């Protein structure tokens, strides 16, 4: 390597003064003195970045002329011509040249830094916005859940209490079934076909659910809508024909009527025949009650045992106690 005149960068747009030359839109100050002697056997030459050539300087002090656009180097006079192929094949590196960060001397690097900065700012603002949106969404869902719970407490079916007697003669109220999953059916013991079919379907649903020990046990309950003929003995005899856990309830006509109104069950006795027998027209629905004693779902005659089981399992999986 030949000795190189060191350069120092000045800010772009500044007027080039003595001992300075313009390069790449900037002013470069030569730290060497104007009267610094040349090495023995060398001549002042200029490296042109535009033509990729080594040119002889017409001035002994190239930096004083102000007309050159590239820095100068000392080269042996005899070797000036031989340097041209090397210069064309491999651009020389300028020694001891310092550049300020984000200077105009590296526009591609500046653009990359600016792009990364913008992307970082965009990600930060986007993440903050997403976090705020998720927070308010969760708060809204919680408020809706609490509002739904309050509505269930006020408006759900079965909210009213009842006072009845089971088929063993023990008094029963709604409080006795809290904490249990309950399948409830209203009917009467003299029903010729529909009630036996629905009670058998309800019993089969309970058997299928009992086959999965991880699920809570379901309590089947039968409430008569014909208290005049369905006393304790008649109900006890009737429920034995179905599931062993089936609990039959009866009571006075007034108490049975209150229980029917609590679950919005319609029933009406039809005309009597010669044997004083009659049919009771009533709502044919199986009700599902949660451990809170509230109505969750109902199943009409069109629902099969498998469909009811799947529905009950779904309610059990998503169930949360009120206030929890």
């Amino acid at each position: 390597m030949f000795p190189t005149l060191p350069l120092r960068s000045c800010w772009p747009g500044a007027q080039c003064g003595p001992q300075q030359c313009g390069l790449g839109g900037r002013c470069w100050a030569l730290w060497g003195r104007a009267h610094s002697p040349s090495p023995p056997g060398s001549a002042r030459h200029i490296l042109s970045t535009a033509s990729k050539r080594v040119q002889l300087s017409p001035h002994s002090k190239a930096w004083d002329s102000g007309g050159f656009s590239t820095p100068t180097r000392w080269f042996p006079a005899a070797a000036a011509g031989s340097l041209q192929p090397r210069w064309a094949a491999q651009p020389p590196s300028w020694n001891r040249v310092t550049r300020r960060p984000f200077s105009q001397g590296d526009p591609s690097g500046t653009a990359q830094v600016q792009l990364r900065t913008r992307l970082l700012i965009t990600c930060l603002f986007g993440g903050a916005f997403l976090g705020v949106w998720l927070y308010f969404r969760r708060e809204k869902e919680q408020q809706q859940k609490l509002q739904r719970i309050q509505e269930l407490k006020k408006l759900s079916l079965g909210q009213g209490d009842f006072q009845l007697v089971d088929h063993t003669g023990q008094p029963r109220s709604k409080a006795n079934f809290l904490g249990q999953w309950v399948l409830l059916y209203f009917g009467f013991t003299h029903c010729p076909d529909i009630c036996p079919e629905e009670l058998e379907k309800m019993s089969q649903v309970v058997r299928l659910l009992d086959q999965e020990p991880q699920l809570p046990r379901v309590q089947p309950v039968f409430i008569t809508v014909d208290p005049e003929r369905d006393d304790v003995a008649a109900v006890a005899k009737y429920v034995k024909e179905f599931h062993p856990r089936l609990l039959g309830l009866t009571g006075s006509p007034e108490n049975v009527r209150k229980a029917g109104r609590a679950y919005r069950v319609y029933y009406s006795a039809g005309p009597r025949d010669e044997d004083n027998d009659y049919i009771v027209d009533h709502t044919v629905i199986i009700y599902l009650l949660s451990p809170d004693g509230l109505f969750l779902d109902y199943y009409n005659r069109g629902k099969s045992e498998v469909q009811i089981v799947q529905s009950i399992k779904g309610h059990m999986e998503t169930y949360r106690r009120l206030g929890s």
Side-chain angles (χ1 to χ4, degrees):
M1 291 294 295
F2 295 101
T4 303
L5 291 177
L7 304 179
R8 182 177 61 185
S9 172
C10 298
W11 287 107
Q15 179 116 10
C16 294
Q19 297 188 4
Q20 294 181 349
C21 63
L23 176 62
R26 303 173 61 109
C27 290
W28 298 86
L30 280 74
W31 288 6
R33 295 180 177 275
H35 60 272
S36 60
S38 62
S42 62
R44 180 65 56 81
H45 289 76
I46 297 177
L47 301 182
S48 174
T49 57
S51 60
K52 299 292 190 297
R53 295 178 60 83
V54 179
Q55 300 175 356
L56 180 64
S57 171
H59 303 277
S60 60
K61 300 177 182 180
W63 51 84
D64 291 338
S65 65
F68 298 101
S69 60
T70 53
T72 62
R73 287 188 180 184
W74 292 105
F75 292 101
S82 63
L83 291 178
Q84 295 184 17
R86 291 178 55 192
W87 169 251
Q90 182 178 4
S93 60
W94 311 106
N95 294 341
R96 287 186 285 176
V97 176
T98 59
R99 292 186 178 182
R100 297 179 183 271
F102 310 106
S103 66
Q104 292 182 356
D106 189 8
S108 61
T110 303
Q112 290 179 359
V113 172
Q114 292 178 349
L115 179 60
R116 292 173 184 173
T117 303
R118 292 175 183 175
L119 289 176
L120 178 60
I121 295 175
T122 302
C123 292
L124 290 177
F125 276 99
F129 176 79
L130 180 61
V132 173
W133 180 80
L134 291 175
Y135 171 79
F136 282 107
R137 181 184 178 184
R138 183 172 61 253
E139 290 295 321
K140 183 178 180 180
E141 291 177 351
Q142 290 293 334
Q143 292 178 0
Q144 291 176 345
K145 181 180 179 180
L146 294 176
Q147 183 179 1
R148 178 60 176 167
I149 291 174
Q150 295 299 326
E151 291 176 354
L152 285 174
K153 288 181 176 180
K154 295 179 180 179
L155 305 176
S156 63
L157 299 177
Q159 187 67 30
D161 200 1
F162 57 83
Q163 300 294 331
L164 298 173
V165 180
D166 65 19
H167 65 270
T168 65
Q170 298 296 323
R172 297 280 183 168
S173 67
K174 179 184 173 182
N176 297 121
F177 301 99
L178 294 179
Q180 303 179 66
W181 289 88
V182 176
L183 283 176
L184 177 61
Y185 179 79
F186 287 82
F188 62 106
T189 62
H190 289 73
C191 182
D193 49 16
I194 296 179
C195 291
E197 291 176 359
E198 291 302 297
L199 286 174
E200 183 58 39
K201 181 168 65 176
M202 186 170 70
S203 300
Q204 181 63 19
V205 168
V206 175
R207 294 189 189 98
L208 293 174
L209 292 172
D210 287 344
Q211 294 177 3
E212 303 187 33
Q214 75 276 10
L215 298 177
R217 303 188 80 179
V218 177
Q219 174 62 53
V221 177
F222 166 77
I223 298 180
T224 182
V225 292
D226 187 14
E228 183 178 344
R229 293 181 294 183
D230 294 341
D231 57 9
V232 173
V235 172
K237 180 180 179 181
Y238 188 69
V239 297
K240 290 180 181 180
E241 301 177 5
F242 303 99
H243 196 276
R245 288 207 310 272
L246 180 60
L247 185 67
L249 300 180
T250 186
S252 66
E254 180 61 26
N255 288 339
V256 170
R257 189 177 302 109
K258 289 181 180 180
R261 284 201 301 265
Y263 292 91
R264 299 182 184 178
V265 173
Y266 163 82
Y267 65 92
S268 176
R272 301 173 183 266
D273 59 13
E274 298 175 354
D275 300 328
N276 200 29
D277 195 9
Y278 56 90
I279 299 295
V280 180
D281 184 21
H282 63 90
T283 302
V284 182
I285 286 179
I286 298 175
Y287 296 91
L288 175 65
L289 307 182
S290 72
D292 297 297
L294 300 178
F295 166 80
L296 282 184
D297 211 338
Y298 70 94
Y299 311 104
N300 54 30
R301 296 183 65 188
K303 295 291 185 179
S304 65
E305 293 90 339
V306 176
Q307 290 175 325
I308 297 175
V309 168
Q310 293 298 325
S311 175
I312 294 175
K313 290 172 62 176
H315 286 293
M316 289 180 174
E317 292 174 358
T318 59
Y319 169 71
R320 297 292 182 273
R321 291 190 64 88
L322 297 180
S324 62

